[in-house]
Amino acid sequence: LKRTGETSMAMNLAASTLESLRVEMAFDDIDGTGPNVYYDRFGYGFQNTGLADPTALNAANSKYMVRWNAESRDYYVDVNVAVYWNAGGIGAPVVPSEAKYKVRTVNTRIVNREVFRR
């Protein structure tokens, strides 16, 4: 039952990451591999924890690591998001190979809206 809850949280974090990329980032900035982003066991990142420093939430004091990877094309970008975690309360992996669990990669295609506004 606990793993089901962890997997559900991981899927929510992956979907949230995709939506953030789509809405908050400029199309030209979505390329390559994004930084590791850490979340606590409730799905809070540094922006909702009240921490002043974004680096204060790190692998040692979080539960999940989210990483996105994107390959840019002329009119769209293919994005993959993966979420990694370990059993227990805290201690997110620093690299994917350290993770005991991984949510299946969530994929989407983000279209460059500027191309179609011309």
Side-chain angles (χ1 to χ4, degrees), residues 8-62:
S8 180
M9 176 62 72
M11 287 298 296
N12 288 335
L13 291 171
S16 176
T17 299
L18 285 173
E19 192 60 24
S20 292
L21 290 171
R22 179 177 285 126
V23 172
E24 297 172 9
M25 285 188 74
F27 178 81
D28 293 336
D29 293 339
I30 306 172
D31 195 19
T33 301
N36 294 347
V37 179
Y38 296 100
Y39 295 89
D40 70 12
R41 65 190 179 108
F42 302 110
Y44 292 123
F46 84 91
Q47 68 273 24
N48 348 62
T49 60
L51 298 171
D53 178 9
T55 61
L57 192 61
N58 57 35
N61 63 8
S62 61

Side-chain angles (χ1 to χ4, degrees), residues 48-115:
N48 348 62
T49 60
L51 298 171
D53 178 9
T55 61
L57 192 61
N58 57 35
N61 63 8
S62 61
K63 171 79 176 172
Y64 300 94
M65 178 189 73
V66 178
R67 179 185 282 185
W68 59 266
N69 183 322
E71 190 172 335
S72 185
R73 309 277 190 224
D74 290 335
Y75 304 111
Y76 63 90
V77 61
D78 286 324
V79 182
N80 306 306
V81 177
V83 181
Y84 305 90
W85 72 97
N86 291 311
I90 60 171
V94 176
V95 294
S97 61
E98 290 180 356
K100 182 169 183 177
Y101 302 107
K102 171 189 173 189
V103 75
R104 293 184 193 270
T105 305
V106 178
N107 306 307
T108 195
R109 181 168 283 169
I110 298 174
V111 176
N112 185 351
R113 293 181 295 247
E114 296 301 317
V115 171

